[in-house]
Amino acid sequence: MADTARDRITKFFQKNIANRVARQMPFQTLLETTGRKSGQPRTTPLGGRRVGDEFWFVSEFGDKSQYVRNIMADPNVRLRLHGRWHRGVAHLLPDDDAQARMRMLPRYNNVGVRTFGTNLLTIRVDLID
């Protein structure tokens, strides 16, 4: 599916404004992946919920998101929760009902996903430490 103009505008705003600000907030949840081309760490602010040793979230653009493509290349990630970094392994769950999953996640974190999401994809990170 080709990106719509709305998708391109949303991605531009997130990459160049919202994510840059959110990364600076000390208690913002951050996902760190390894760039599939550069091999460099890439951080993405996101929302979700920790349940035991798992962290659940929904990607609004699914496999069109750069961080999802990075996970596909290397599922080993780091996740910053409440200011502390944890190692983990990310799992893409295309068969999970992302709409139902979002009802289990914090509402304020899912506003953007609900508003702009066009290719929802559930992701679970199994936390190692």
Side-chain angles (χ1 to χ4, degrees), residues 7-8 20 25 29 33 41 53 57 93 103 106 111:
D7 290 349
R8 288 189 301 274
R20 287 182 182 192
M25 300 172 71
T29 299
T33 60
D53 289 334
F57 66 101
L93 304 170
R103 289 191 289 277
V111 170

Side-chain angles (χ1 to χ4, degrees), residues 5-126:
R6 182 179 84 163
D7 290 349
R8 288 189 301 274
I9 291 168
T10 300
K11 288 176 185 178
F12 177 85
F13 175 78
Q14 287 175 334
K15 179 181 179 182
N16 295 295
I17 300 169
N19 288 356
R20 287 182 182 192
V21 171
R23 280 187 197 101
Q24 303 308 312
M25 300 172 71
F27 288 98
Q28 169 67 50
T29 299
L30 295 177
L31 174 72
E32 183 182 88
T33 60
T34 301
R36 65 194 177 284
K37 295 178 184 176
S38 70
Q40 298 299 309
R42 301 292 183 214
T43 57
T44 304
L46 50 81
R49 172 169 281 147
R50 183 175 184 166
V51 179
D53 289 334
E54 301 172 338
F55 185 82
W56 293 82
F57 66 101
V58 175
S59 169
E60 62 194 309
F61 297 114
D63 62 3
K64 302 293 185 208
S65 295
Q66 296 303 315
Y67 70 86
V68 172
R69 291 177 178 180
N70 290 343
I71 289 170
M72 292 167 69
D74 180 358
N76 296 295
V77 300
R78 290 194 327 145
L79 195 66
R80 188 177 78 181
L81 297 169
H82 306 292
R84 182 172 174 257
W85 286 99
H86 303 268
R87 290 181 304 124
V89 178
H91 302 276
L92 307 180
L93 304 170
D95 294 332
D96 189 68
D97 182 344
Q99 292 286 348
R101 181 68 55 192
M102 285 196 307
R103 289 191 289 277
M104 299 169 60
L105 301 175
R107 291 189 188 275
Y108 64 91
N109 286 330
N110 289 317
V111 170
V113 176
R114 281 190 180 94
T115 304
F116 301 108
T118 56
N119 187 24
L120 302 180
L121 174 65
T122 301
I123 301 172
R124 183 189 78 231
V125 176
D126 295 336

